[in-house]
Amino acid sequence: MTAARTAEPGARRGWLESIIASRHRPVAGDHRLGHRHVYVLPTRPGLLYGAVVATMLIASINYRLSLGYALSFLVAAVAIVAMLQTWRNLASLVLRPGRAEPVFAGDFTTLTAIVRNPGRIERFALSFLAPGMARPEHFDASSGAEQIVSLALPARERGWHPVPRLRLETRFPLGIWRAWTWWQPALRVLVYPKPEPPGASLPARLASSGDGQARGGGEQDLAALRPWRAGDSPRRIAWKAMARTASEDLIVRQYEGGELGELSLDWDLLPPGWDDERRLSRMTRWVLEADSLGVRYAMTLPGVAIVADAGPAHRERCLESLATWGLAPAASTGRSR
């Protein structure tokens, strides 16, 4: 019975906040906090503060204490002024979403939120909180300036996901009132499949672009160093050798078997008994390994064929295809900003 009574105020507050939060829809662009967007309720210390004021007033009435009346009304006036100050600490702020960086499943994505304070009064003790955050992100907002706040949000499943609803709150100046608002940016974050741990060999290369046959598994023996030629991968530049020889010309590593050939990252090369998520995890690891080697690689999924290429743009294109493969179009569309 005691536990039920203890949980009741928190349950009521959660029910009230869920109703308020449901009124706030995703917002694109700047979001200015008007008087209808900021809510104020007393905190637990605030409720205790109110109980003390009520007790003082009742005692003053009972014993007809003039000084008691004065003190009771003075303390009550302080609480009212504090409520206005708490509300004003949030009012008129302008919120703007930054960018939600793509991330692998199981990691944390970094969402940047830009808070602009157009007024002349500095705002203190502000905090952002979102579902899954270990603790609130506290910050201050200087007058006439912008504050960039970085929020670490958990990413659990692959695909495009909307940024969760964020709560901005403050208890400044006395902590007896809590002013808060809800804000959901019209922003999505891309979550890549969780890559398999390192150690899996790459598929055999399609062909060698040099004089010999390239090896499979992503391994070659260093044969010699030679001057850089147009088309060589920047990843093969021998920076240490250039430093030792004090050479001003670029030098690249030459491997046995000629230049690295193209890779074919094919869905059908994986064991037939694997489920889809395990296959996507292995192919994600393949993409990362091939990109680290600087080789050209093609990728084939059921219904998806990406021609051979190399570089960061190709890597992102392959990872996005892996992240959204097999998902409903509504869950896989959108862009991070």
Side-chain angles (χ1 to χ4, degrees), residues 2-16 44 47:
T2 304
R5 289 180 178 177
T6 303
E8 187 177 358
R12 288 180 178 177
R13 187 178 68 178
W15 172 77
L16 177 62
R44 289 186 178 181
L47 294 175

Side-chain angles (χ1 to χ4, degrees), residues 115-295:
V115 181
R116 181 164 60 89
N117 179 11
R120 299 180 179 179
I121 302 174
E122 190 168 357
R123 315 298 178 94
F124 298 97
L126 305 172
S127 62
F128 266 119
L129 186 63
M133 289 181 60
R135 58 182 179 82
E137 188 67 31
H138 301 283
F139 65 98
D140 298 329
S142 302
S143 59
E146 290 185 346
Q147 179 69 31
I148 300 177
V149 185
S150 297
L151 308 176
L153 305 177
R156 297 184 175 88
E157 298 180 353
R158 65 181 178 90
W160 284 102
H161 297 280
V163 170
R165 186 178 289 113
L166 307 176
R167 188 178 72 195
L168 176 62
E169 72 173 39
T170 182
R171 302 189 181 196
F172 180 83
L174 299 182
I176 60 177
W177 299 98
R178 181 173 71 98
W180 81 96
T181 187
W182 292 99
W183 175 48
Q184 183 167 10
L187 191 65
R188 291 176 181 261
V189 58
L190 179 60
V191 181
Y192 301 138
K194 183 177 181 179
E196 189 180 62
S201 299
L202 286 168
R205 295 186 177 88
L206 293 177
S208 171
S209 58
D211 298 328
Q213 181 67 29
R215 298 183 183 182
E219 298 180 357
Q220 285 190 326
D221 295 329
L222 180 64
L225 299 174
R226 62 168 177 80
W228 179 85
R229 295 196 298 261
D232 287 335
S233 171
R235 298 178 182 273
R236 305 185 66 187
I237 297 176
W239 298 106
K240 293 183 179 179
M242 292 174 56
R244 287 195 300 266
T245 60
S247 174
E248 297 182 357
D249 298 326
L250 293 177
I251 301 174
V252 297
R253 293 182 290 269
Q254 175 74 43
Y255 293 94
E256 288 184 357
E259 299 297 322
L260 295 175
E262 292 182 355
L263 288 172
S264 176
L265 311 182
D266 197 325
W267 178 275
D268 294 332
L269 296 176
L270 297 171
W274 286 10
D275 59 26
D276 292 345
E277 294 304 321
R278 187 176 181 184
R279 288 169 176 260
L280 293 172
S281 179
R282 169 63 66 86
M283 296 194 70
T284 302
R285 171 55 58 187
W286 280 352
V287 170
L288 297 178
E289 294 290 344
D291 181 71
S292 66
L293 292 174
V295 299

Side-chain angles (χ1 to χ4, degrees), residues 79-117:
I80 295 174
V81 172
M83 179 182 66
L84 295 176
Q85 290 290 337
T86 304
W87 175 84
R88 190 173 65 170
N89 204 39
L90 281 188
S92 300
L93 289 177
V94 179
L95 309 179
R96 183 169 72 251
R99 177 178 174 82
E101 296 294 339
V103 69
F104 294 100
D107 294 337
F108 286 83
T109 183
T110 300
L111 169 67
T112 56
I114 303 172
V115 181
R116 181 164 60 89
N117 179 11

Side-chain angles (χ1 to χ4, degrees), residues 49-84:
Y49 187 99
V52 171
V53 173
T55 302
M56 292 171 55
L57 182 59
I58 292 174
S60 300
I61 295 174
N62 188 38
Y63 294 102
R64 298 181 180 180
L65 299 176
S66 300
L67 291 178
Y69 282 117
L71 182 60
S72 299
F73 290 129
L74 176 62
V75 175
V78 170
I80 295 174
V81 172
M83 179 182 66
L84 295 176

